[in-house]
Amino acid sequence: MVSDVHGNAGDLAAAGKGADALICLGDLVLFLDYADHSRGIFPDLFGVENADRIVELRTARRFDEARELGRRLWAGLAVDREAAIESAVRRQYAELFAAFPTPTYATYGNVDIPALWPEFAGPGTTVLDGQRAEIGGLVFGFVGGGLRTPMRTPYEIGDEEYAAKVEALGEVDVLCSHIPPEVPELTYDTVARRFERGSRALLDAIHRVRPRYALFGHVHQPLARRMRIGATECVNVGHFASTGRPFALEW
């Protein structure tokens, strides 16, 4: 299990070694590395100094100012914004999808661009969103993307649409999502010092369905990496971009 790969193709290539399958819970793309502002699509286009500034504004939750800075920077480039981003994402996806072993089961993160995945996902990679798969005799349900936030990342959807995907899964043994259930200890990032958005629909499904596991990522430095909710073990499988270590699920 990996999540929040954010461009770490080198470690991703070894993540499935010795396992029967690799499961990826999204956020393959690296737009901006908050630990190293020289890495990602943003500094490649606008330089490290502007990356420093936009991280400072976002960390201070000055999102309107951050968006205005972004608008000014894009206006100063003689390129089409969407085309520039798509070209950079394509380069990352080509390297990252090539690193997936067979079989891989994957769903989208909030910074991913789902429309591009069919172009890069090979026959050994199964992409699921609001869908189920049987792996090793257990039923896994997958819910991709995130909920809407002031950050306005590429794959954020409304609460009702997200809840409908959760509902469509039905009874599962393992509930896999990019974002966590809406529990304060699981959604609070201790370094960013803010609550990320978690899903009430996921929490309701945990209470109703009682899966063995609920696995997710999204929160890079959570207050609690795992906790039990009733019969369900909830686990943040980790910020793979920084650790390079997968979480192993055995049964």
Side-chain angles (χ1 to χ4, degrees):
M1 311 285 307
V2 300
S3 186
D4 299 87
V5 176
H6 293 303
N8 189 350
D11 288 323
L12 183 61
K17 186 176 181 180
D20 295 299
L22 179 71
I23 294 175
C24 178
L25 301 183
D27 271 10
L28 296 179
V29 173
L30 178 62
F31 279 99
L32 177 56
D33 189 332
Y34 278 62
D36 179 354
H37 302 170
S38 68
R39 297 181 64 245
I41 295 172
F42 189 94
D44 286 349
L45 290 170
F46 303 115
V48 177
E49 185 176 338
N50 285 316
D52 291 341
R53 180 58 178 156
I54 206 160
V55 169
E56 178 186 349
L57 291 172
R58 287 177 176 177
T59 302
R61 304 185 69 79
R62 294 157 62 183
F63 297 116
D64 289 339
E65 292 176 65
R67 281 193 288 272
E68 179 57 32
L69 172 61
R71 280 192 288 268
R72 292 200 306 271
L73 292 172
W74 280 109
L77 284 185
V79 297
D80 176 73
R81 174 176 179 161
E82 296 303 321
I85 291 176
E86 184 172 313
S87 177
V89 170
R90 283 179 183 277
R91 289 193 297 271
Q92 291 190 15
Y93 276 166
E95 184 178 15
L96 290 159
F97 276 91
F100 279 146
T102 297
T104 290
Y105 300 85
T107 196
Y108 317 111
N110 62 292
V111 302
D112 285 312
I113 302 178
L116 297 181
W117 280 37
E119 181 179 337
F120 297 96
T125 298
T126 303
V127 179
L128 303 118
D129 186 16
Q131 298 161 293
R132 298 149 46 109
E134 184 177 319
I135 307 172
L138 297 184
V139 177
F140 286 66
F142 294 82
V143 186
L147 296 171
R148 293 197 176 107
T149 72
M151 300 286 280
R152 298 182 184 177
T153 51
Y155 189 38
E156 295 181 352
I157 62 176
D159 290 62
E160 289 186 4
E161 183 181 353
Y162 192 93
K165 292 197 295 184
V166 176
E167 182 68 24
L169 298 179
E171 301 285 328
V172 297
D173 300 302
V174 184
L175 178 59
C176 297
S177 57
H178 176 67
I179 64 174
E182 191 181 59
V183 178
E185 294 90 339
L186 300 176
T187 58
Y188 186 74
D189 190 305
T190 60
V191 174
R193 291 185 293 181
R194 66 170 181 258
F195 289 98
E196 301 290 354
R197 283 215 66 187
S199 166
R200 182 71 197 184
L202 288 171
L203 182 59
D204 290 344
I206 289 169
H207 286 299
R208 182 179 68 255
V209 177
R210 295 166 60 85
R212 294 190 192 186
Y213 298 95
L215 306 172
F216 48 87
H218 187 57
V219 183
H220 293 177
Q221 297 89 198
L223 184 62
R225 291 202 174 274
R226 61 193 303 163
M227 66 184 298
R228 182 165 287 276
I229 299 176
T232 303
E233 185 72 15
C234 301
V235 184
N236 184 319
V237 302
H239 181 205
F240 186 77
S242 65
T243 68
R245 295 190 304 271
F247 173 78
L249 184 65
E250 300 180 6
W251 67 93

Short mmCIF file of all heavy atoms in Angstrom, two decimals, residues 47-101:
data_model
loop_
_atom_site.label_atom_id
_atom_site.label_comp_id
_atom_site.label_asym_id
_atom_site.label_seq_id
_atom_site.Cartn_x
_atom_site.Cartn_y
_atom_site.Cartn_z
N GLY A 47 10.25 29.26 -10.66
CA GLY A 47 11.42 29.47 -9.84
C GLY A 47 11.18 29.22 -8.37
O GLY A 47 10.04 29.24 -7.89
N VAL A 48 12.26 29.01 -7.63
CA VAL A 48 12.19 28.66 -6.21
C VAL A 48 11.69 29.83 -5.37
O VAL A 48 10.94 29.64 -4.40
CB VAL A 48 13.56 28.17 -5.70
CG1 VAL A 48 13.51 27.87 -4.21
CG2 VAL A 48 14.00 26.93 -6.47
N GLU A 49 12.08 31.05 -5.71
CA GLU A 49 11.67 32.21 -4.90
C GLU A 49 10.15 32.35 -4.88
O GLU A 49 9.55 32.60 -3.84
CB GLU A 49 12.30 33.48 -5.45
CG GLU A 49 12.01 34.72 -4.61
CD GLU A 49 12.74 35.95 -5.11
OE1 GLU A 49 13.76 35.81 -5.82
OE2 GLU A 49 12.28 37.07 -4.78
N ASN A 50 9.52 32.18 -6.03
CA ASN A 50 8.05 32.24 -6.08
C ASN A 50 7.42 31.04 -5.38
O ASN A 50 6.34 31.16 -4.79
CB ASN A 50 7.58 32.33 -7.53
CG ASN A 50 7.81 33.70 -8.13
OD1 ASN A 50 7.53 34.71 -7.49
ND2 ASN A 50 8.33 33.74 -9.35
N ALA A 51 8.09 29.89 -5.47
CA ALA A 51 7.60 28.72 -4.73
C ALA A 51 7.64 28.98 -3.23
O ALA A 51 6.69 28.64 -2.50
CB ALA A 51 8.41 27.49 -5.09
N ASP A 52 8.74 29.58 -2.74
CA ASP A 52 8.83 29.94 -1.32
C ASP A 52 7.66 30.82 -0.92
O ASP A 52 7.05 30.62 0.14
CB ASP A 52 10.14 30.69 -1.05
CG ASP A 52 11.38 29.83 -1.18
OD1 ASP A 52 11.26 28.59 -1.13
OD2 ASP A 52 12.48 30.40 -1.33
N ARG A 53 7.36 31.80 -1.76
CA ARG A 53 6.32 32.77 -1.43
C ARG A 53 4.94 32.13 -1.40
O ARG A 53 4.15 32.38 -0.47
CB ARG A 53 6.34 33.91 -2.45
CG ARG A 53 5.29 34.99 -2.22
CD ARG A 53 5.41 35.63 -0.86
NE ARG A 53 4.42 36.70 -0.67
CZ ARG A 53 3.98 37.10 0.53
NH1 ARG A 53 4.48 36.54 1.64
NH2 ARG A 53 3.09 38.05 0.63
N ILE A 54 4.65 31.28 -2.37
CA ILE A 54 3.30 30.70 -2.40
C ILE A 54 3.10 29.70 -1.26
O ILE A 54 2.01 29.59 -0.70
CB ILE A 54 2.99 30.08 -3.78
CG1 ILE A 54 1.47 30.09 -4.00
CG2 ILE A 54 3.56 28.67 -3.91
CD1 ILE A 54 1.06 29.96 -5.44
N VAL A 55 4.16 28.99 -0.88
CA VAL A 55 4.07 28.10 0.28
C VAL A 55 3.81 28.93 1.55
O VAL A 55 2.99 28.55 2.40
CB VAL A 55 5.34 27.25 0.44
CG1 VAL A 55 5.36 26.54 1.79
CG2 VAL A 55 5.44 26.23 -0.69
N GLU A 56 4.50 30.05 1.67
CA GLU A 56 4.30 30.93 2.83
C GLU A 56 2.86 31.40 2.92
O GLU A 56 2.25 31.37 3.99
CB GLU A 56 5.24 32.13 2.71
CG GLU A 56 5.10 33.16 3.82
CD GLU A 56 5.94 34.40 3.59
OE1 GLU A 56 6.78 34.39 2.68
OE2 GLU A 56 5.73 35.39 4.32
N LEU A 57 2.28 31.80 1.80
CA LEU A 57 0.90 32.28 1.80
C LEU A 57 -0.08 31.16 2.11
O LEU A 57 -1.02 31.35 2.90
CB LEU A 57 0.57 32.90 0.44
CG LEU A 57 1.28 34.22 0.10
CD1 LEU A 57 1.02 34.61 -1.35
CD2 LEU A 57 0.83 35.33 1.04
N ARG A 58 0.12 30.00 1.51
CA ARG A 58 -0.81 28.89 1.75
C ARG A 58 -0.72 28.41 3.19
O ARG A 58 -1.75 28.08 3.80
CB ARG A 58 -0.50 27.74 0.78
CG ARG A 58 -0.92 28.00 -0.65
CD ARG A 58 -0.52 26.85 -1.55
NE ARG A 58 -0.98 27.01 -2.91
CZ ARG A 58 -0.71 26.16 -3.89
NH1 ARG A 58 0.04 25.08 -3.65
NH2 ARG A 58 -1.17 26.37 -5.11
N THR A 59 0.50 28.34 3.73
CA THR A 59 0.66 27.90 5.11
C THR A 59 -0.03 28.85 6.08
O THR A 59 -0.59 28.42 7.10
CB THR A 59 2.16 27.79 5.46
OG1 THR A 59 2.77 26.87 4.55
CG2 THR A 59 2.36 27.28 6.87
N ALA A 60 -0.03 30.14 5.74
CA ALA A 60 -0.71 31.14 6.56
C ALA A 60 -2.20 31.20 6.26
O ALA A 60 -2.91 32.05 6.81
CB ALA A 60 -0.08 32.51 6.33
N ARG A 61 -2.68 30.30 5.36
CA ARG A 61 -4.09 30.23 4.97
C ARG A 61 -4.56 31.51 4.29
O ARG A 61 -5.73 31.86 4.32
CB ARG A 61 -4.98 29.86 6.17
CG ARG A 61 -4.59 28.57 6.85
CD ARG A 61 -5.56 28.16 7.95
NE ARG A 61 -6.85 27.75 7.40
CZ ARG A 61 -7.11 26.57 6.87
NH1 ARG A 61 -6.16 25.66 6.78
NH2 ARG A 61 -8.31 26.29 6.39
N ARG A 62 -3.65 32.18 3.62
CA ARG A 62 -3.98 33.39 2.86
C ARG A 62 -4.20 32.97 1.40
O ARG A 62 -3.45 33.31 0.50
CB ARG A 62 -2.86 34.41 3.00
CG ARG A 62 -2.73 34.94 4.42
CD ARG A 62 -1.36 35.49 4.75
NE ARG A 62 -0.98 36.64 3.92
CZ ARG A 62 0.20 37.24 4.01
NH1 ARG A 62 1.11 36.79 4.88
NH2 ARG A 62 0.48 38.27 3.24
N PHE A 63 -5.26 32.18 1.21
CA PHE A 63 -5.49 31.52 -0.07
C PHE A 63 -5.81 32.50 -1.19
O PHE A 63 -5.41 32.30 -2.34
CB PHE A 63 -6.59 30.47 0.06
CG PHE A 63 -6.25 29.35 1.01
CD1 PHE A 63 -6.98 29.15 2.18
CD2 PHE A 63 -5.20 28.49 0.73
CE1 PHE A 63 -6.66 28.13 3.04
CE2 PHE A 63 -4.88 27.45 1.59
CZ PHE A 63 -5.61 27.28 2.75
N ASP A 64 -6.54 33.58 -0.88
CA ASP A 64 -6.85 34.56 -1.92
C ASP A 64 -5.57 35.21 -2.44
O ASP A 64 -5.41 35.42 -3.66
CB ASP A 64 -7.80 35.63 -1.38
CG ASP A 64 -9.20 35.10 -1.15
OD1 ASP A 64 -9.55 34.06 -1.75
OD2 ASP A 64 -9.95 35.71 -0.36
N GLU A 65 -4.65 35.54 -1.54
CA GLU A 65 -3.38 36.14 -1.95
C GLU A 65 -2.54 35.14 -2.75
O GLU A 65 -1.86 35.52 -3.72
CB GLU A 65 -2.59 36.62 -0.74
CG GLU A 65 -3.22 37.80 -0.01
CD GLU A 65 -2.43 38.15 1.24
OE1 GLU A 65 -1.27 38.57 1.11
OE2 GLU A 65 -3.00 37.98 2.35
N ALA A 66 -2.59 33.88 -2.35
CA ALA A 66 -1.86 32.86 -3.09
C ALA A 66 -2.40 32.71 -4.50
O ALA A 66 -1.63 32.59 -5.47
CB ALA A 66 -1.93 31.52 -2.34
N ARG A 67 -3.74 32.73 -4.65
CA ARG A 67 -4.33 32.63 -5.98
C ARG A 67 -3.98 33.85 -6.83
O ARG A 67 -3.72 33.73 -8.03
CB ARG A 67 -5.84 32.45 -5.87
CG ARG A 67 -6.26 31.02 -5.52
CD ARG A 67 -7.74 30.82 -5.73
NE ARG A 67 -8.51 31.52 -4.71
CZ ARG A 67 -8.84 30.98 -3.53
NH1 ARG A 67 -8.45 29.74 -3.25
NH2 ARG A 67 -9.56 31.64 -2.66
N GLU A 68 -3.96 35.04 -6.22
CA GLU A 68 -3.61 36.24 -6.96
C GLU A 68 -2.16 36.20 -7.42
O GLU A 68 -1.85 36.59 -8.56
CB GLU A 68 -3.84 37.48 -6.08
CG GLU A 68 -3.49 38.80 -6.75
CD GLU A 68 -4.22 39.04 -8.05
OE1 GLU A 68 -5.39 38.58 -8.18
OE2 GLU A 68 -3.63 39.67 -8.95
N LEU A 69 -1.26 35.69 -6.57
CA LEU A 69 0.13 35.52 -6.98
C LEU A 69 0.21 34.56 -8.16
O LEU A 69 0.93 34.82 -9.14
CB LEU A 69 0.96 35.00 -5.82
CG LEU A 69 2.41 34.59 -6.15
CD1 LEU A 69 3.19 35.79 -6.68
CD2 LEU A 69 3.10 34.00 -4.91
N GLY A 70 -0.53 33.46 -8.08
CA GLY A 70 -0.54 32.51 -9.18
C GLY A 70 -1.03 33.13 -10.47
O GLY A 70 -0.46 32.90 -11.55
N ARG A 71 -2.08 33.94 -10.39
CA ARG A 71 -2.61 34.59 -11.59
C ARG A 71 -1.57 35.52 -12.22
O ARG A 71 -1.40 35.55 -13.44
CB ARG A 71 -3.88 35.38 -11.25
CG ARG A 71 -5.13 34.51 -11.15
CD ARG A 71 -6.38 35.36 -11.10
NE ARG A 71 -6.52 36.04 -9.81
CZ ARG A 71 -7.17 35.56 -8.78
NH1 ARG A 71 -7.75 34.36 -8.87
NH2 ARG A 71 -7.27 36.24 -7.66
N ARG A 72 -0.86 36.28 -11.39
CA ARG A 72 0.16 37.20 -11.91
C ARG A 72 1.30 36.43 -12.58
O ARG A 72 1.81 36.82 -13.63
CB ARG A 72 0.72 38.08 -10.79
CG ARG A 72 -0.26 39.09 -10.23
CD ARG A 72 0.47 40.21 -9.51
NE ARG A 72 1.38 39.72 -8.48
CZ ARG A 72 1.05 39.50 -7.21
NH1 ARG A 72 -0.19 39.71 -6.81
NH2 ARG A 72 1.94 39.07 -6.33
N LEU A 73 1.71 35.32 -11.95
CA LEU A 73 2.80 34.53 -12.51
C LEU A 73 2.42 33.93 -13.86
O LEU A 73 3.20 33.95 -14.81
CB LEU A 73 3.22 33.44 -11.53
CG LEU A 73 3.89 33.93 -10.23
CD1 LEU A 73 4.07 32.76 -9.26
CD2 LEU A 73 5.22 34.59 -10.51
N TRP A 74 1.20 33.38 -13.94
CA TRP A 74 0.78 32.78 -15.21
C TRP A 74 0.63 33.85 -16.29
O TRP A 74 0.95 33.59 -17.46
CB TRP A 74 -0.55 32.04 -15.02
CG TRP A 74 -0.37 30.69 -14.42
CD1 TRP A 74 -0.70 30.30 -13.17
CD2 TRP A 74 0.22 29.54 -15.05
NE1 TRP A 74 -0.36 28.98 -12.96
CE2 TRP A 74 0.20 28.50 -14.10
CE3 TRP A 74 0.75 29.31 -16.31
CZ2 TRP A 74 0.69 27.22 -14.40
CZ3 TRP A 74 1.24 28.05 -16.61
CH2 TRP A 74 1.21 27.03 -15.65
N ALA A 75 0.17 35.05 -15.91
CA ALA A 75 0.03 36.13 -16.90
C ALA A 75 1.38 36.54 -17.48
O ALA A 75 1.46 37.01 -18.62
CB ALA A 75 -0.65 37.34 -16.25
N GLY A 76 2.45 36.32 -16.71
CA GLY A 76 3.78 36.69 -17.18
C GLY A 76 4.45 35.64 -18.04
O GLY A 76 5.54 35.88 -18.57
N LEU A 77 3.80 34.48 -18.21
CA LEU A 77 4.36 33.42 -19.05
C LEU A 77 3.70 33.44 -20.43
O LEU A 77 2.49 33.57 -20.54
CB LEU A 77 4.14 32.04 -18.43
CG LEU A 77 5.03 31.62 -17.25
CD1 LEU A 77 4.72 30.17 -16.89
CD2 LEU A 77 6.51 31.76 -17.58
N ALA A 78 4.51 33.28 -21.46
CA ALA A 78 3.98 33.28 -22.82
C ALA A 78 3.59 31.87 -23.24
O ALA A 78 3.92 31.40 -24.33
CB ALA A 78 5.02 33.86 -23.78
N VAL A 79 2.87 31.17 -22.34
CA VAL A 79 2.41 29.81 -22.64
C VAL A 79 0.99 29.66 -22.13
O VAL A 79 0.53 30.41 -21.25
CB VAL A 79 3.30 28.74 -21.98
CG1 VAL A 79 4.71 28.81 -22.53
CG2 VAL A 79 3.31 28.89 -20.47
N ASP A 80 0.27 28.70 -22.71
CA ASP A 80 -1.08 28.39 -22.24
C ASP A 80 -0.99 27.60 -20.94
O ASP A 80 -0.26 26.60 -20.87
CB ASP A 80 -1.82 27.58 -23.30
CG ASP A 80 -3.19 27.15 -22.83
OD1 ASP A 80 -4.09 28.01 -22.76
OD2 ASP A 80 -3.35 25.95 -22.50
N ARG A 81 -1.71 28.04 -19.92
CA ARG A 81 -1.62 27.42 -18.60
C ARG A 81 -1.97 25.95 -18.63
O ARG A 81 -1.22 25.11 -18.13
CB ARG A 81 -2.54 28.16 -17.62
CG ARG A 81 -2.62 27.50 -16.25
CD ARG A 81 -3.44 28.31 -15.30
NE ARG A 81 -3.54 27.66 -14.00
CZ ARG A 81 -3.88 28.28 -12.88
NH1 ARG A 81 -4.15 29.57 -12.89
NH2 ARG A 81 -3.96 27.62 -11.75
N GLU A 82 -3.11 25.61 -19.20
CA GLU A 82 -3.56 24.22 -19.19
C GLU A 82 -2.59 23.33 -19.97
O GLU A 82 -2.28 22.20 -19.56
CB GLU A 82 -4.97 24.12 -19.78
CG GLU A 82 -6.04 24.84 -18.97
CD GLU A 82 -6.11 24.36 -17.54
OE1 GLU A 82 -5.97 23.14 -17.32
OE2 GLU A 82 -6.30 25.20 -16.65
N ALA A 83 -2.10 23.83 -21.08
CA ALA A 83 -1.18 23.04 -21.89
C ALA A 83 0.14 22.81 -21.17
O ALA A 83 0.71 21.71 -21.22
CB ALA A 83 -0.93 23.74 -23.22
N ALA A 84 0.61 23.84 -20.46
CA ALA A 84 1.88 23.71 -19.73
C ALA A 84 1.77 22.70 -18.60
O ALA A 84 2.66 21.87 -18.39
CB ALA A 84 2.31 25.07 -19.18
N ILE A 85 0.66 22.77 -17.85
CA ILE A 85 0.45 21.83 -16.75
C ILE A 85 0.29 20.42 -17.28
O ILE A 85 0.90 19.47 -16.77
CB ILE A 85 -0.77 22.24 -15.91
CG1 ILE A 85 -0.48 23.54 -15.13
CG2 ILE A 85 -1.16 21.13 -14.93
CD1 ILE A 85 -1.66 24.07 -14.36
N GLU A 86 -0.52 20.25 -18.32
CA GLU A 86 -0.75 18.91 -18.85
C GLU A 86 0.54 18.29 -19.37
O GLU A 86 0.80 17.10 -19.17
CB GLU A 86 -1.80 18.96 -19.97
CG GLU A 86 -2.15 17.59 -20.50
CD GLU A 86 -3.30 17.61 -21.47
OE1 GLU A 86 -4.33 18.25 -21.15
OE2 GLU A 86 -3.19 16.97 -22.53
N SER A 87 1.37 19.08 -20.02
CA SER A 87 2.63 18.57 -20.53
C SER A 87 3.54 18.09 -19.40
O SER A 87 4.14 17.01 -19.48
CB SER A 87 3.34 19.66 -21.34
OG SER A 87 4.60 19.22 -21.79
N ALA A 88 3.60 18.88 -18.31
CA ALA A 88 4.43 18.50 -17.17
C ALA A 88 3.88 17.26 -16.47
O ALA A 88 4.63 16.38 -16.05
CB ALA A 88 4.51 19.66 -16.19
N VAL A 89 2.55 17.19 -16.33
CA VAL A 89 1.92 16.03 -15.70
C VAL A 89 2.15 14.78 -16.54
O VAL A 89 2.43 13.70 -16.00
CB VAL A 89 0.42 16.27 -15.46
CG1 VAL A 89 -0.28 14.98 -15.03
CG2 VAL A 89 0.20 17.35 -14.42
N ARG A 90 2.06 14.90 -17.84
CA ARG A 90 2.29 13.75 -18.71
C ARG A 90 3.70 13.19 -18.52
O ARG A 90 3.89 11.97 -18.49
CB ARG A 90 2.09 14.15 -20.18
CG ARG A 90 0.64 14.28 -20.60
CD ARG A 90 0.55 14.71 -22.06
NE ARG A 90 -0.83 14.91 -22.46
CZ ARG A 90 -1.65 13.95 -22.86
NH1 ARG A 90 -1.20 12.71 -22.92
NH2 ARG A 90 -2.89 14.22 -23.19
N ARG A 91 4.68 14.06 -18.39
CA ARG A 91 6.05 13.60 -18.18
C ARG A 91 6.17 12.82 -16.88
O ARG A 91 6.84 11.78 -16.81
CB ARG A 91 7.02 14.78 -18.19
CG ARG A 91 7.23 15.41 -19.56
CD ARG A 91 8.42 16.34 -19.58
NE ARG A 91 8.24 17.48 -18.69
CZ ARG A 91 7.67 18.62 -19.05
NH1 ARG A 91 7.20 18.78 -20.28
NH2 ARG A 91 7.58 19.62 -18.19
N GLN A 92 5.51 13.33 -15.82
CA GLN A 92 5.56 12.62 -14.54
C GLN A 92 4.81 11.29 -14.62
O GLN A 92 5.29 10.26 -14.14
CB GLN A 92 4.97 13.50 -13.44
CG GLN A 92 5.83 14.70 -13.09
CD GLN A 92 5.34 15.42 -11.85
OE1 GLN A 92 4.53 14.89 -11.07
NE2 GLN A 92 5.84 16.63 -11.63
N TYR A 93 3.63 11.31 -15.22
CA TYR A 93 2.83 10.08 -15.30
C TYR A 93 3.57 9.00 -16.10
O TYR A 93 3.50 7.80 -15.77
CB TYR A 93 1.48 10.36 -15.94
CG TYR A 93 0.43 10.87 -14.99
CD1 TYR A 93 -0.75 11.44 -15.47
CD2 TYR A 93 0.59 10.79 -13.61
CE1 TYR A 93 -1.73 11.91 -14.61
CE2 TYR A 93 -0.38 11.25 -12.75
CZ TYR A 93 -1.55 11.82 -13.24
OH TYR A 93 -2.51 12.27 -12.39
N ALA A 94 4.26 9.37 -17.17
CA ALA A 94 4.98 8.38 -17.98
C ALA A 94 5.99 7.63 -17.12
O ALA A 94 6.12 6.40 -17.22
CB ALA A 94 5.67 9.07 -19.15
N GLU A 95 6.69 8.35 -16.25
CA GLU A 95 7.69 7.72 -15.39
C GLU A 95 7.05 6.93 -14.26
O GLU A 95 7.49 5.82 -13.93
CB GLU A 95 8.62 8.80 -14.81
CG GLU A 95 9.76 8.25 -13.98
CD GLU A 95 10.68 9.34 -13.46
OE1 GLU A 95 10.31 10.52 -13.49
OE2 GLU A 95 11.80 8.98 -13.01
N LEU A 96 6.00 7.48 -13.67
CA LEU A 96 5.39 6.85 -12.50
C LEU A 96 4.62 5.59 -12.86
O LEU A 96 4.75 4.56 -12.19
CB LEU A 96 4.49 7.86 -11.79
CG LEU A 96 5.24 9.00 -11.10
CD1 LEU A 96 4.32 10.20 -10.88
CD2 LEU A 96 5.81 8.53 -9.76
N PHE A 97 3.81 5.64 -13.90
CA PHE A 97 3.05 4.44 -14.27
C PHE A 97 3.97 3.33 -14.75
O PHE A 97 3.68 2.16 -14.57
CB PHE A 97 2.01 4.80 -15.34
CG PHE A 97 0.73 5.34 -14.77
CD1 PHE A 97 0.56 6.70 -14.58
CD2 PHE A 97 -0.31 4.49 -14.41
CE1 PHE A 97 -0.62 7.20 -14.06
CE2 PHE A 97 -1.49 4.97 -13.88
CZ PHE A 97 -1.65 6.35 -13.70
N ALA A 98 5.10 3.70 -15.35
CA ALA A 98 6.07 2.69 -15.78
C ALA A 98 6.69 1.97 -14.59
O ALA A 98 7.19 0.84 -14.72
CB ALA A 98 7.16 3.34 -16.63
N ALA A 99 6.66 2.61 -13.42
CA ALA A 99 7.24 2.01 -12.20
C ALA A 99 6.29 1.06 -11.49
O ALA A 99 6.71 0.31 -10.61
CB ALA A 99 7.68 3.12 -11.24
N PHE A 100 5.00 1.07 -11.86
CA PHE A 100 4.04 0.18 -11.21
C PHE A 100 4.33 -1.28 -11.57
O PHE A 100 4.50 -1.60 -12.75
CB PHE A 100 2.61 0.51 -11.64
CG PHE A 100 1.98 1.66 -10.91
CD1 PHE A 100 1.09 2.49 -11.56
CD2 PHE A 100 2.25 1.91 -9.57
CE1 PHE A 100 0.47 3.54 -10.91
CE2 PHE A 100 1.65 2.96 -8.90
CZ PHE A 100 0.76 3.77 -9.57
N PRO A 101 4.34 -2.17 -10.58
CA PRO A 101 4.46 -3.60 -10.89
C PRO A 101 3.12 -4.17 -11.33
O PRO A 101 2.10 -3.48 -11.28
CB PRO A 101 4.89 -4.20 -9.54
CG PRO A 101 4.22 -3.32 -8.53
CD PRO A 101 4.26 -1.93 -9.13
#
